[in-house]
Amino acid sequence: MELPISYQLINFTPVVTIAFLIVFMRTNDMFEKKVSDMFNLAIAISVVMLIIGNIRLATGGVYVWMTIVEAVLRAAVMWAVTLIMVRRIMFKYKVLIAVAPTVIAVILGIFGIFMPEVFFGWINGMQGVYIIMMLGAVGYDIYVQIYDEAVIGAAIALILCFGMAYDISTDNWYCLLWAAVALSLAFYYMYFHAQSFKRDVLTGVLNRRCFYADAKRFELKISAIMSIDLNNLKTLNDTKGHAEGDKAIVTMTNNVRRALPRDCYMYRTGGDEFMAIFTKTDMETVRITKEIVKDNMAKTPYSCAIGIAEWSDNDSLDEVCARADVAMYEDKAEMKKKIGGVVR
């Protein structure tokens, strides 16, 4: 059955947007595999949702099971978007919690095939649960001071909430959520693409390029440089896998970033190597910041070595960084003496 022109217009935005996103990802995929896999999952579910939804429209919605399946897919695609938003949250059960509403939607959908008037509203309610999770992820980004992603995350949650609310409020389901999901994924991916030029995707901190650019920009304001190195990353990767290594890096990054005073910035300059620029900050505050980071890391399974170097008027960036690195390796050697083991 041929779709009416109104349904063709409904399909235009999501189909074109997803097609563009697929092509763009294949030619510009520069993210870590885990992030790319999350986007691929969201796109795949979106495509299936579009196919099932269009079959529903073409058949006039006479098959109840098809409407139920699309409702479950709507929850599933919001689960995929939520996975991207919560990727930095270090919580043991986050994956199980994130997938729970989709699993519940599937169970409700099975019963809903026989009693749609009872279960259909509950299935739609699972979409609302994901909106709440997304807002929780926004709150976490604010907590760890990733304000730009908090803004884009809030915008995505708002777009999806509007699309979901409109579709639920219309008996004939005009499918605004299709376009909302497609646009949200495109906006989110383009945000990632733009941020990849200045931010590390895993941790959200600024990258090596920005470190040198900011050092030049803040040259007259810099008071100190801090060198930070995560201990035993290679051992973690070799014995417990790269996921554990990533967890250690993110844990350390969050601890440092939360401890940094105002007008101070953190950068990932290597695999487990980080630098922080302190501007307009007295050395006592810099030393206190170091101790705060050390104390916070002591509450985790990981540790890091930290070195600080004061900036004086006659110093060059390379000289101050070299002194900070020397201090960091001295700190690493002291830690090795204390524990009587290997610290790399």
Side-chain angles (χ1 to χ4, degrees):
M1 181 184 298
E2 184 179 355
L3 292 178
I5 185 66
S6 58
Y7 292 153
Q8 294 177 26
L9 293 175
I10 287 171
N11 277 281
F12 180 80
T13 297
V15 170
V16 171
T17 304
I18 289 176
F20 164 80
L21 188 55
I22 291 173
V23 172
F24 190 84
M25 284 182 64
R26 292 300 171 267
T27 57
N28 295 273
D29 193 2
M30 59 180 66
F31 308 137
E32 296 181 1
K33 185 178 184 299
K34 182 168 62 176
V35 175
S36 297
D37 288 346
M38 290 176 181
F39 274 101
N40 287 330
L41 174 65
I43 291 171
I45 298 174
S46 300
V47 171
V48 176
M49 179 180 66
L50 279 171
I51 293 172
I52 296 296
N54 276 284
I55 295 174
R56 174 181 63 82
L57 292 178
T59 56
V62 297
Y63 300 109
V64 174
W65 68 267
M66 198 170 292
T67 304
I68 295 293
V69 170
E70 188 191 352
V72 172
L73 287 170
R74 285 167 172 249
V77 77
M78 296 182 78
W79 159 65
V81 176
T82 301
L83 278 181
I84 303 173
M85 297 181 71
V86 302
R87 70 194 182 283
R88 289 199 190 98
I89 299 177
M90 292 294 114
F91 180 62
K92 185 177 180 180
Y93 302 107
K94 74 174 181 181
V95 174
L96 291 177
I97 292 175
V99 79
T102 296
V103 174
I104 294 172
V106 171
I107 295 172
L108 292 173
I110 294 172
F111 290 101
I113 292 175
F114 305 101
M115 293 182 291
E117 67 282 354
V118 176
F119 293 98
F120 195 71
W122 287 99
I123 298 174
N124 287 330
M126 295 303 103
Q127 300 174 40
V129 173
Y130 280 119
I131 296 296
I132 295 173
M133 287 186 181
M134 291 177 190
L135 294 176
V138 170
Y140 179 81
D141 286 337
I142 294 174
Y143 175 65
V144 297
Q145 301 178 24
I146 309 178
Y147 300 116
D148 46 4
E149 185 157 353
V151 171
I152 193 72
I156 287 172
L158 184 62
I159 292 171
L160 292 175
C161 184
F162 178 76
M164 176 194 72
Y166 182 82
D167 282 356
I168 292 175
S169 67
T170 55
D171 294 334
N172 50 1
W173 276 35
Y174 283 119
C175 308
L176 190 62
L177 187 65
W178 296 356
V181 167
L183 290 172
S184 295
L185 287 174
F187 291 156
Y188 213 178
Y189 192 86
M190 296 308 293
Y191 161 79
F192 271 61
H193 184 72
Q195 291 295 304
S196 67
F197 293 101
K198 68 176 185 176
R199 288 190 182 274
D200 171 54
V201 175
L202 176 65
T203 62
V205 299
L206 297 163
N207 60 22
R208 187 182 185 90
R209 183 190 299 114
C210 285
F211 173 69
Y212 287 107
D214 285 353
K216 185 176 182 180
R217 181 160 62 102
F218 298 136
E219 187 172 5
L220 299 179
K221 300 179 182 179
I222 297 177
S223 50
I225 295 289
M226 176 181 285
S227 175
I228 311 126
D229 189 276
L230 179 67
N231 292 328
N232 300 322
L233 177 61
K234 186 178 186 304
T235 302
L236 282 174
N237 287 335
D238 291 344
T239 59
K240 297 185 178 181
H242 287 275
E244 185 67 22
D246 288 348
K247 181 179 178 181
I249 290 172
V250 172
T251 299
M252 185 194 73
T253 302
N254 289 343
N255 274 296
V256 174
R257 187 160 41 197
R258 288 197 298 268
L260 287 178
R262 186 182 180 88
D263 296 323
C264 300
Y265 310 90
M266 185 177 183
Y267 308 81
R268 187 178 185 181
T269 55
D272 57 354
E273 300 164 0
F274 294 79
M275 289 287 188
I277 293 178
F278 289 77
T279 65
K280 299 180 292 185
T281 309
D282 61 88
M283 287 304 296
E284 180 61 24
T285 300
V286 176
R287 283 187 281 269
I288 290 173
T289 300
K290 173 184 174 180
E291 294 308 313
I292 291 174
V293 174
K294 289 278 192 175
D295 290 343
N296 289 339
M297 288 298 291
K299 301 172 186 176
T300 74
Y302 318 109
S303 65
C304 63
I306 301 176
I308 54 178
E310 187 173 8
W311 184 291
S312 61
D313 293 338
N314 297 323
D315 283 329
S316 69
L317 177 64
D318 289 341
E319 291 171 342
V320 181
C321 288
R323 292 205 304 271
D325 283 339
V326 168
M328 182 271 292
Y329 283 114
E330 289 174 351
D331 185 43
K332 197 178 284 281
E334 286 296 318
M335 296 175 71
K336 181 179 178 179
K337 289 180 183 178
K338 288 180 181 179
I339 66 174
V342 177
V343 179
R344 294 189 177 92

